[in-house]
Amino acid sequence: MCVDLAMLYAAYRLAYLIRYRVVIRAGIEVPLPEVYQDTLLLVAVSLIGVFGFFRHYIPRRGLSRIDLLYSLFLAVSATFVIALAANTLLYREFGLPRVVYAGWWACAIVLIWMARVIVDTMLRLGRAHGVDTANVLIVGAGESGQIIFEKIRHAPELGYRVVGFVDDIHMDLYQASAPILGTLADVPRLIQHHHVGELIIAAPRLEQRDVLEIVASCARAHVNVKLFPDIVQIMSSEVTTSDLTGLPMVQVRDVALRGWNLALKRAMDVLVSGVALVLLSPFLMALAVAVRVWGGAGPVFYTQERVGLDGRPFHLIKFRSMRADAEASTGPVWATVDDRRRTRIGTFIRRWSLDELPQLVNVLVGEMSLVGPRPERPVFVEQFSREVPRYGERHNERAGMTGWAQVNGLRGNTSITERTKYDLFYVENWSLAFDVKILLKTIGAVFRDKNAY
């Protein structure tokens, strides 16, 4: 709270300075910043109240910096609107120049966000070294439980320490990751014994009665409970009620992009891909020359049939990163770590996902989108459609250069079931802001992605 108020005041002085530098040089007398201390007090009080309403003073581990910026944008905007309304009611006129007020709003968003990022970075460093840790108990030792365990293990900055699993079925499995401490009936005892602060339910087939009992026991012990959903639960969250000439109906919401939403998304694809192709053309030319010189025999570009919108095939364009005969003897297979089929330049461009840049052409002509479920090859689509429920619904939207699953580490040879969950979540919760968030997160994901091989 003190940091927020300090940054609010700093933003006020900065906006005042920016507004009056030209006026002062012109020799015109301007009022001192302290003259408007009543307005400053109103904004400060509003900030504390609005931030409390937005739950900005409740610690949240692992919050994305992009999500934080968006939330602060809403909270700070609401703060200044409320303060402006209060000032209008309390005083006869609004004394602070409107340009200064608008600049103050913009500077406050940036400075408060930067300060909170610094504080959050310090907290993450401390948690990675054992400060402010929280014990976690995972219900379910199956595939979902293991995915959560690996996520926590590779994110020490969260400060989570998995004490073990609870499971009624897999009692003799996964001892290499964390021990299975007992069954569902042991949850209350384990919470007390291990001082558990977070409990994560990762057992999709668990009966509702058991889930309610677990939540009740955690409520008594003041333990936070999180539920990792399966595909059916994601789908059921989109069920709505309607009527057919008075007859009550239950329908699964039609989540495909329609009308203006579809036009808006397509407009962003054309604009961004077109500008990117022009600006990156010298860099793309340099990469093409590098592939030609250090990529061995074969073409510069590699086209591969993928499945896109409505299940229609199209030819995805990439810079060639493997030998021209890479699948001559094996047929369609996933790339592996230290794959010997890669060329010298191919290893580099695959690590930094530079081989994907020619797909901007696919986006420009409408075969792909900037953001969406990643397209797969027909042979894999046929296989996954038989094995994974609702997998085919990924093709209700255009395939993307990047996606919600990819920025969360699910690319390459990773769980198709979990990747499908992320893709369906994106399809069912699409917004333009969500697309922008994924594009921004893609930049950071490129640097930390360990599955880019």
Side-chain angles (χ1 to χ4, degrees), residues 161-184:
R161 189 175 71 88
V162 179
V163 297
F165 293 95
V166 171
D167 203 306
D168 285 344
I169 302 175
H170 306 90
M171 293 298 296
D172 57 342
L173 300 179
Y174 308 112
Q175 295 294 336
S177 56
I180 296 180
L181 303 176
T183 63
L184 298 180

Side-chain angles (χ1 to χ4, degrees), residues 403-425:
W404 186 231
Q406 282 65 44
V407 299
N408 284 282
L410 292 170
R411 61 172 293 181
N413 194 10
T414 54
S415 172
I416 299 301
T417 301
E418 299 309 316
R419 200 186 309 177
T420 302
K421 292 180 184 179
Y422 280 83
D423 289 336
L424 293 180
F425 178 84

Side-chain angles (χ1 to χ4, degrees), residues 144-159:
S144 297
Q146 292 303 304
I147 290 173
I148 292 173
F149 176 81
E150 289 300 320
K151 282 281 188 181
I152 293 175
R153 189 170 67 87
H154 289 98
E157 69 275 6
L158 296 179

